[in-house]
Amino acid sequence: QVQLQESGPGLVKASETLSLNCTVSGGSISSYYWTWVRQPPGKGLEWIGYIYYNGRADYNPSLKSRVAISIDTSKNHFSLRLTSVTAADTAVYYCARCRDASGYLGLDPWGRGTLVTVSS
Amino acid sequence: QPALTQPASVSGSPGQSITISCTGTSNYVGDFMYVSWYQHHPGKAPRLLIYAVDKRPSGVSSRFSGSKSGNTASLTISGLQAEDEGDYYCCSFAISTNFVFGGGTRLTVL
């Protein structure tokens, strides 16, 4: 079965760029929409954006100016870059698979998440 | 700005049923038919429980069921078990912001 695993630095300095990878195992990344979601401490989930296997991406308007999601089908992974980070970007970052563009079929499966702390 | 409102917390005793509501403000696609529900135990991967309002993925217990009335979707858990304790989130697709999550509901099994 498909499994997702997030990886990347757990500590990023304010004003710098957060970069995370999500490796997909047990299935091909060459289909579906690959998604990033985050959860700040003590708060709820926030959709960051997703990328289709052909490279077409869409983002949360509140983050659009700072976020980029890319995909590497040869390595079966996709990546998140978030620029100019502040303390408000401290969160657990999750990657997930979305089987259709509008989420009708839900997000499934998810990775376990990785905590990224923005330090001053 | 579209938003989904959930109660902050609900509780119930083992064997009982509980219902978590999720009310959408506006601008949801398909008359709110794109609602999904997730279970989250801290430190673990969130798990899809319900998609398209009332459909259960394979492997999800029939104790979990979904429904909707107008712009309010609901998740019902019957025969509560200790392992059901955790956080529950609804999610829907909105025209202007794509995916929106509810604020989450903490379920306590007494």
Side-chain angles (χ1 to χ4, degrees), chain A residues 39 43-45 47 50 58 61 94 98 101-108 110-112, chain B residues 33-34 36 38 40 43-46 48 51-52 55 89 93 96-99 101 103:
Chain A
Q39 183 176 31
K43 296 188 177 181
L45 299 170
W47 181 77
Y50 61 28
D58 206 356
Y94 298 95
C98 185
S102 59
Y104 185 77
L105 299 175
L107 299 173
D108 178 60
W110 295 58
R112 294 177 65 111
Chain B
M33 290 301 296
Y34 289 63
S36 52
Y38 302 87
H40 188 207
K44 295 192 174 182
L48 175 66
Y51 67 93
K55 296 173 179 50
Y89 293 89
F93 190 79
S96 57
T97 59
N98 287 11
F99 293 85
F101 286 93

Coordinates of all heavy atoms in Angstrom, one line a residue, chain A residues 39 43-45 47 50 58 61 94 98 101-108 110-112, chain B residues 33-34 36 38 40 43-46 48 51-52 55 89 93 96-99 101 103:
Chain A
Q39 N -0.1 22.1 10.4 CA -0.9 22.3 11.7 C 0.0 23.0 12.7 O 0.9 22.4 13.3 CB -1.3 20.9 12.3 CG -2.1 21.1 13.5 CD -2.7 19.8 14.1 OE1 -2.0 18.7 13.9 NE2 -3.8 19.8 14.7
K43 N -3.3 24.5 17.0 CA -4.3 25.0 16.0 C -4.8 23.8 15.1 O -4.3 22.7 15.2 CB -3.7 26.1 15.2 CG -3.4 27.4 16.1 CD -3.0 28.5 15.2 CE -2.8 29.8 16.1 NZ -2.4 31.0 15.3
G44 N -5.7 24.2 14.2 CA -6.2 23.2 13.3 C -5.4 23.0 12.0 O -4.3 23.6 11.9
L45 N -5.9 22.2 11.1 CA -5.2 21.9 9.9 C -5.4 23.0 8.9 O -6.4 23.7 8.8 CB -5.7 20.6 9.3 CG -5.5 19.4 10.2 CD1 -6.3 18.2 9.6 CD2 -4.0 19.0 10.3
W47 N -4.6 23.7 4.6 CA -4.2 23.3 3.3 C -3.2 24.3 2.8 O -3.5 25.5 2.7 CB -5.4 23.1 2.4 CG -5.1 22.6 1.0 CD1 -4.8 21.3 0.7 CD2 -5.1 23.4 -0.2 NE1 -4.6 21.2 -0.7 CE2 -4.8 22.5 -1.2 CE3 -5.3 24.7 -0.5 CZ2 -4.7 22.9 -2.6 CZ3 -5.2 25.1 -1.8 CH2 -4.9 24.2 -2.8
Y50 N -1.3 21.8 -3.6 CA -1.0 20.5 -4.2 C -0.5 20.6 -5.6 O -0.5 21.7 -6.2 CB -2.3 19.5 -4.1 CG -3.5 20.0 -4.9 CD1 -3.5 20.8 -6.0 CD2 -4.7 19.5 -4.5 CE1 -4.6 21.1 -6.7 CE2 -5.9 19.8 -5.2 CZ -5.8 20.6 -6.3 OH -7.0 21.0 -7.0
D58 N -1.5 24.1 -7.5 CA -2.4 25.1 -7.0 C -2.2 25.4 -5.5 O -1.8 24.4 -4.8 CB -3.9 24.7 -7.2 CG -4.8 25.8 -7.3 OD1 -4.4 27.0 -7.1 OD2 -6.0 25.6 -7.6
P61 N -4.5 30.7 -1.3 CA -4.3 32.1 -1.7 C -3.5 32.8 -0.6 O -2.7 33.8 -0.9 CB -5.7 32.7 -1.8 CG -6.5 31.5 -2.3 CD -5.9 30.3 -1.5
Y94 N 2.5 18.0 7.0 CA 2.1 16.7 6.5 C 2.0 16.7 5.0 O 1.6 17.7 4.4 CB 0.7 16.4 7.0 CG 0.5 16.3 8.5 CD1 0.0 17.4 9.2 CD2 0.8 15.1 9.2 CE1 -0.1 17.3 10.6 CE2 0.6 15.0 10.5 CZ 0.1 16.1 11.2 OH 0.0 16.0 12.6
C98 N -4.1 13.1 -2.8 CA -5.5 13.5 -3.1 C -5.9 12.9 -4.4 O -5.2 13.1 -5.4 CB -5.6 15.0 -3.1 SG -7.3 15.6 -3.3
A101 N -9.0 16.5 -8.0 CA -8.7 17.9 -7.9 C -9.5 18.6 -6.8 O -9.1 19.6 -6.2 CB -8.8 18.6 -9.2
S102 N -10.7 18.1 -6.6 CA -11.6 18.8 -5.7 C -11.8 18.1 -4.3 O -12.6 18.6 -3.5 CB -13.0 19.0 -6.3 OG -13.5 17.7 -6.6
G103 N -11.0 17.1 -4.1 CA -11.1 16.5 -2.8 C -12.4 15.6 -2.6 O -12.6 15.2 -1.4
Y104 N -13.1 15.4 -3.6 CA -14.3 14.6 -3.5 C -14.0 13.2 -2.8 O -14.8 12.7 -2.0 CB -15.0 14.4 -4.8 CG -16.3 13.7 -4.8 CD1 -17.5 14.4 -4.4 CD2 -16.4 12.4 -5.2 CE1 -18.7 13.7 -4.4 CE2 -17.7 11.7 -5.2 CZ -18.8 12.4 -4.8 OH -20.0 11.8 -4.8
L105 N -12.9 12.7 -3.2 CA -12.5 11.4 -2.7 C -11.6 11.4 -1.5 O -11.2 10.4 -1.0 CB -11.8 10.6 -3.8 CG -12.6 10.3 -5.1 CD1 -11.7 9.7 -6.2 CD2 -13.8 9.4 -4.8
G106 N -11.4 12.6 -1.0 CA -10.7 12.8 0.3 C -9.2 12.7 0.1 O -8.6 12.4 -1.0
L107 N -8.5 13.0 1.2 CA -7.0 12.9 1.3 C -6.6 11.6 2.0 O -6.9 11.4 3.1 CB -6.4 14.1 2.1 CG -6.8 15.5 1.5 CD1 -6.3 16.6 2.5 CD2 -6.1 15.7 0.2
D108 N -5.9 10.8 1.2 CA -5.6 9.5 1.8 C -4.6 8.8 0.9 O -4.8 8.7 -0.3 CB -6.9 8.6 1.8 CG -6.6 7.2 2.3 OD1 -6.2 7.0 3.4 OD2 -6.9 6.2 1.5
W110 N -1.9 9.8 4.4 CA -1.1 10.9 4.9 C 0.2 10.4 5.4 O 0.3 9.2 5.9 CB -1.8 11.6 6.1 CG -3.1 12.3 5.8 CD1 -4.3 11.7 5.2 CD2 -3.5 13.6 6.0 NE1 -5.3 12.6 5.2 CE2 -4.8 13.8 5.6 CE3 -2.7 14.7 6.6 CZ2 -5.4 15.1 5.7 CZ3 -3.4 15.9 6.7 CH2 -4.7 16.1 6.3
G111 N 1.2 11.2 5.5 CA 2.4 10.9 6.2 C 2.2 11.3 7.7 O 1.2 11.8 8.1
R112 N 3.2 10.9 8.5 CA 3.1 11.1 9.9 C 3.4 12.5 10.3 O 3.1 12.9 11.4 CB 4.0 10.2 10.7 CG 3.7 8.7 10.5 CD 4.7 7.9 11.2 NE 4.7 8.1 12.7 CZ 4.3 7.2 13.6 NH1 3.8 6.0 13.1 NH2 4.3 7.4 14.8
Chain B
M33 N -21.2 18.9 -1.0 CA -21.2 17.4 -1.2 C -19.7 16.9 -1.2 O -19.5 15.7 -1.4 CB -21.8 17.1 -2.6 CG -23.3 17.2 -2.6 SD -24.2 16.2 -1.3 CE -23.8 14.6 -1.8
Y34 N -18.8 17.8 -1.1 CA -17.4 17.4 -1.1 C -16.8 17.3 0.3 O -15.6 17.6 0.5 CB -16.6 18.4 -2.0 CG -16.9 18.3 -3.4 CD1 -18.2 18.6 -3.9 CD2 -15.9 17.9 -4.4 CE1 -18.5 18.5 -5.3 CE2 -16.2 17.8 -5.7 CZ -17.5 18.1 -6.2 OH -17.8 18.1 -7.5
S36 N -15.2 15.8 3.6 CA -14.6 14.6 4.1 C -14.2 14.8 5.6 O -14.2 15.9 6.1 CB -13.3 14.3 3.3 OG -12.4 15.5 3.3
Y38 N -11.7 13.4 9.0 CA -10.4 12.8 9.3 C -10.3 12.6 10.8 O -10.8 13.4 11.6 CB -9.3 13.7 8.8 CG -9.3 13.9 7.3 CD1 -10.1 14.9 6.8 CD2 -8.7 13.0 6.5 CE1 -10.2 15.1 5.5 CE2 -8.8 13.2 5.1 CZ -9.6 14.2 4.6 OH -9.7 14.4 3.3
H40 N -7.5 12.1 13.9 CA -6.1 12.4 14.1 C -5.8 12.1 15.5 O -6.3 12.7 16.5 CB -5.8 13.8 13.7 CG -4.3 14.1 13.8 ND1 -3.8 15.4 14.0 CD2 -3.3 13.3 13.6 CE1 -2.5 15.3 14.0 NE2 -2.1 14.1 13.7
G43 N 0.7 12.8 16.9 CA 1.9 12.0 16.7 C 1.8 11.0 15.6 O 2.7 10.4 15.2
K44 N 0.5 10.8 15.1 CA 0.3 9.9 14.0 C -0.2 10.5 12.8 O -0.6 11.7 12.8 CB -0.7 8.8 14.5 CG -0.2 8.0 15.7 CD -1.1 6.8 15.9 CE -0.6 5.8 17.0 NZ -1.4 4.7 17.2
A45 N -0.3 9.8 11.7 CA -0.8 10.3 10.5 C -2.3 10.5 10.6 O -3.0 9.6 11.1 CB -0.5 9.4 9.3
P46 N -2.9 11.6 10.1 CA -4.4 11.7 10.0 C -4.9 10.6 9.2 O -4.2 10.1 8.2 CB -4.6 13.1 9.4 CG -3.4 13.9 9.8 CD -2.3 12.9 9.7
L48 N -8.3 9.2 6.9 CA -9.6 9.4 6.2 C -10.6 8.5 6.8 O -10.5 7.3 6.7 CB -9.4 9.3 4.7 CG -10.7 9.4 3.9 CD1 -11.2 10.9 3.9 CD2 -10.4 9.0 2.4
Y51 N -15.6 10.2 3.0 CA -15.4 11.2 1.9 C -16.8 11.3 1.2 O -17.7 10.5 1.4 CB -14.3 10.7 0.9 CG -14.7 9.4 0.2 CD1 -15.3 9.5 -1.1 CD2 -14.3 8.2 0.7 CE1 -15.5 8.3 -1.8 CE2 -14.6 7.0 0.0 CZ -15.2 7.1 -1.2 OH -15.5 5.9 -1.9
A52 N -16.9 12.4 0.4 CA -18.2 12.7 -0.3 C -19.4 12.6 0.6 O -20.4 11.9 0.3 CB -18.3 11.7 -1.5
K55 N -19.5 8.5 2.4 CA -18.9 7.3 1.9 C -17.7 6.9 2.7 O -16.9 7.7 3.1 CB -18.5 7.5 0.4 CG -19.7 7.7 -0.5 CD -19.4 8.1 -1.9 CE -20.6 8.2 -2.7 NZ -21.6 9.1 -2.1
Y89 N -11.5 16.2 12.2 CA -11.6 17.4 11.3 C -12.5 17.1 10.2 O -12.4 16.0 9.5 CB -10.2 17.7 10.8 CG -9.2 18.2 11.9 CD1 -8.4 17.3 12.5 CD2 -9.1 19.5 12.2 CE1 -7.5 17.7 13.5 CE2 -8.2 20.0 13.1 CZ -7.4 19.1 13.8 OH -6.5 19.5 14.8
F93 N -14.3 21.5 -0.1 CA -13.7 22.2 -1.2 C -14.5 23.5 -1.5 O -15.7 23.5 -1.7 CB -13.7 21.4 -2.5 CG -12.9 21.9 -3.6 CD1 -11.5 21.8 -3.6 CD2 -13.5 22.6 -4.7 CE1 -10.7 22.3 -4.7 CE2 -12.7 23.1 -5.7 CZ -11.3 22.9 -5.7
S96 N -13.0 29.7 -3.7 CA -12.0 30.7 -3.7 C -10.7 30.2 -3.0 O -9.6 30.7 -3.4 CB -12.4 31.9 -2.9 OG -12.8 31.6 -1.6
T97 N -10.8 29.2 -2.2 CA -9.6 28.8 -1.4 C -9.2 27.3 -1.6 O -8.3 26.8 -0.9 CB -9.7 29.1 0.1 OG1 -10.9 28.4 0.6 CG2 -9.9 30.6 0.3
N98 N -9.9 26.7 -2.5 CA -9.7 25.2 -2.6 C -10.1 24.5 -1.3 O -11.2 24.5 -0.9 CB -8.3 24.9 -3.1 CG -8.1 25.3 -4.5 OD1 -8.9 25.9 -5.1 ND2 -7.0 24.8 -5.1
F99 N -9.2 23.9 -0.6 CA -9.5 23.1 0.5 C -9.6 23.9 1.8 O -8.7 24.7 2.1 CB -8.5 22.0 0.7 CG -8.5 21.0 -0.4 CD1 -7.8 21.1 -1.5 CD2 -9.3 19.8 -0.2 CE1 -7.8 20.2 -2.5 CE2 -9.3 18.9 -1.2 CZ -8.6 19.1 -2.4
F101 N -10.3 23.4 6.0 CA -10.6 22.4 7.2 C -11.3 23.1 8.3 O -11.2 24.4 8.5 CB -9.2 22.0 7.7 CG -8.5 21.0 6.9 CD1 -7.5 21.4 6.0 CD2 -8.7 19.6 7.0 CE1 -6.9 20.5 5.2 CE2 -8.1 18.7 6.2 CZ -7.1 19.1 5.3
G103 N -12.0 23.7 12.4 CA -11.1 23.9 13.4 C -10.7 22.7 14.3 O -9.8 22.7 15.1

